Amino acid sequence: FKSSPFLHCGPNAETDSLAILHLKRDLLIPTVLRSHDELNEGYSEGKVSNTRFGSFPHSTLIGVPWGSQVRASIVDTGSRGRKGWEGKGKKRKRDKESQAQDDVAGVEKKQKVEVESKAAVKAATGFVHLLPPTPEIWTASLPHRTQVVYTPDYSYILHRLRVTPGTVLIEAGAGSGSFTHAAARAVYNGHQNTNTEDSTQDSIMKRWGKVWSFEFHEQRAQKLQEEIEEHGLNGIVELTYRDVCQDGFTPNDTPASELKANAIFLDLPAPWLALKNLTRASPSSPLSPTTAIHLCTFSPCIEQVQRTITTLRTQGWTEIEMVEIAAHRIEVRRERVGLAEEGLRGVNDSPASVDEAIERLREVEGRSRIFRNEGNEGEEQATAPGPAQVSKQQRLENIRHALEGRKLYKEGRLIHRAEPEIKTHTSYLVFAILPRGWSEEDEELAQGKWPAKA
Ligand code: SAM
């Protein structure tokens, strides 16, 4: 499990590791870093992530400390890029294919190409932050195949289920794997001694914790299995393609009685149908016989909650409680700083450095030039250089001088506001506890009739 970047990411981004390109707060792109790309064989740049903020050859990402800001490379507009990237037959084919995807007839097509080339010029000034994957970031960036459980919900659920390193957790349905990743990290017991030669199922689970995951939609199960392997989580997460309501919680190749789960999370449309397979009644019960079982179901409708609770009551579950998480994001930022006096009109979002401020100015000027070239005479006149106006280079120098030494990120009044109250309801969480089983043997042990087991 040492190879899972979700558990041990190391100081630097490594080849073949999953990485997250953070473009802006709500725009994150997961990518596996490849120093080799079969589409660009023979070129040292490796795979290229093309984003709306520019192109990022993986050679500029691999080996870089996590958290670094990485500038886009000019692979679309520069001469190096043009020769390097388009000289190859396969790449040309790929470009043609993607062009074909975007293809529109006549004038419409021409306009689109023009817009794209402007976008490429702008993109060259972009950057991303290179982040290691965490369950939280994965949740924000994963390809959605279903509704997913979000961080405010799953952090509370894992806490209420008392999930700690070593916990054995049953999860159904796995869906897009958002909860699965968070659960895998929570049960992972990386601090235990791994040198033991005892590799029985029981001891592996005790050392590592385990997520026994179930999904009955074939394609979703296949895709999640691929992700689990790609993310190095196989061994911690065991995914089974199964209908848990009909066929119970027996994983592939493992008798249910070996699971000995002590936490359960059900994100199913009809959790009450699965509950009949989560009792201690049968000898093939997947539940731990010696610990209390903590359960959570996740249902969007109150009618589902009512049916679940009725079933829980009749099956001996206790401490039944329903909770709804209403998470609000509060945006904290600095008020815009007016830099017009330094000639920085339009550069007012507290740029992080002088270089960035100048970069932004160039961007604003570039946009203005494009606008003027399109024939807006009024704009042309208003901004045409007068005799007294200094050269652009001189102007940039003046700005650099004016900003030198200033901590722009600290300027402006700190303000906060709650984000608009969009629909915050995700689902109702029903929690319950099944007390530990108590056999005659346990009773005799409690009365001191037998010596305690080692
Ligand atoms: N918790 C997941 C996540 O965070 O990404 C999302 C789960 S999604 C809302 C519900 C999933 O349950 C679907 O993928 C569906 O195919 C699966 N499912 C529904 N009924 C099932 C059943 N009886 N057995 C197994 N999986 C089931």
Side-chain angles (χ1 to χ4, degrees), residues 162-441:
R162 311 249 172 109
V163 176
T164 54
T167 295
V168 178
L169 183 142
I170 285 177
E171 172 206 29
S176 307
S178 169
F179 182 84
T180 317
H181 281 73
R185 183 186 56 187
V187 303
Y188 171 65
N189 198 352
H191 304 297
Q192 294 273 345
N193 176 15
T194 56
N195 293 329
T196 172
E197 295 196 342
D198 179 4
S199 59
T200 59
Q201 191 66 47
D202 201 33
S203 98
I204 287 173
M205 289 194 295
K206 273 193 196 121
R207 279 186 287 134
W208 296 108
K210 191 97 178 175
V211 178
W212 296 100
S213 191
F214 297 86
E215 171 57 56
F216 82 166
H217 186 284
E218 194 172 5
Q219 283 81 32
R220 283 179 208 149
Q222 262 170 11
K223 189 74 192 96
L224 183 56
Q225 184 58 41
E226 283 166 23
E227 283 170 359
I228 289 166
E229 282 165 25
E230 200 163 50
H231 300 172
L233 294 173
N234 38 331
I236 299 177
V237 179
E238 194 81 35
L239 177 67
T240 302
Y241 165 48
R242 173 141 314 158
D243 182 334
V244 294
C245 299
Q246 252 181 45
D247 304 322
F249 292 84
T250 308
N252 303 328
D253 311 327
T254 310
S257 57
E258 281 190 22
L259 267 55
K260 299 185 174 62
N262 47 5
I264 299 164
F265 176 61
L266 301 180
D267 185 358
L268 299 169
W272 56 93
L273 296 179
L275 287 173
K276 63 177 182 298
N277 300 317
L278 292 168
T279 67
R280 290 215 179 84
S282 93
S284 61
S285 165
L287 307 184
S288 161
T290 55
T291 62
I293 315 296
H294 292 259
L295 170 121
C296 174
T297 67
F298 192 75
S299 305
C301 306
I302 203 74
E303 291 76 12
Q304 291 168 300
V305 168
Q306 285 167 335
R307 294 192 72 168
T308 302
I309 291 179
T310 301
T311 309
L312 285 172
R313 282 195 195 119
T314 56
Q315 292 183 359
W317 291 82
T318 62
E319 300 192 36
I320 301 169
E321 190 183 59
M322 191 196 81
V323 174
E324 184 187 9
I325 305 284
H328 286 267
R329 271 208 311 207
I330 296 173
E331 191 194 353
V332 181
R333 62 182 174 82
R334 290 193 181 268
E335 228 172 10
R336 295 180 143 218
V337 184
L339 294 174
E341 67 274 19
E342 282 94 5
L344 274 173
R345 193 180 299 282
V347 187
N348 49 11
D349 278 333
S350 300
S353 68
V354 173
D355 284 344
E356 198 178 321
I358 290 173
E359 210 60 71
R360 284 199 203 173
L361 176 68
R362 285 203 175 114
E363 212 180 299
V364 170
E365 287 195 339
R367 275 207 297 268
S368 155
R369 213 173 26 249
I370 289 165
F371 181 58
R372 290 200 308 273
N373 287 346
E374 282 170 357
N376 186 321
E377 294 302 321
E379 177 73 6
E380 179 70 63
Q381 280 163 12
T383 55
Q389 203 159 340
V390 288
S391 73
K392 185 178 167 193
Q393 191 53 37
Q394 183 59 51
R395 194 155 165 253
L396 287 174
E397 275 312 309
N398 291 349
I399 293 162
R400 183 184 287 280
H401 185 70
L403 296 180
E404 212 75 71
R406 279 174 58 174
K407 291 190 170 64
L408 294 176
Y409 62 90
K410 280 193 171 171
E411 294 190 2
R413 197 161 54 95
L414 208 52
I415 55 165
H416 72 270
R417 68 181 165 90
E419 294 201 328
E421 279 204 33
I422 38 174
K423 197 170 144 282
T424 55
H425 173 72
T426 51
S427 275
Y428 298 112
L429 314 182
V430 175
F431 293 97
I433 298 176
L434 190 66
R436 62 153 294 176
W438 196 255
S439 63
E440 280 180 20
E441 196 179 297

Side-chain angles (χ1 to χ4, degrees), residues 2-22 29-34 58 60-70 128-134 137:
K2 288 255 181 278
S3 63
S4 174
F6 282 86
L7 305 170
H8 303 276
C9 72
N12 299 330
E14 284 176 17
T15 188
D16 297 331
S17 169
L18 175 69
I20 310 290
L21 306 184
H22 179 282
I29 299 176
T31 184
V32 177
L33 299 175
R34 301 282 189 213
H58 287 199
T60 64
L61 305 173
I62 293 167
V64 168
W66 291 117
S68 300
Q69 188 190 69
V70 181
V128 292
H129 283 96
L130 181 66
L131 302 182
T134 63
I137 299 177

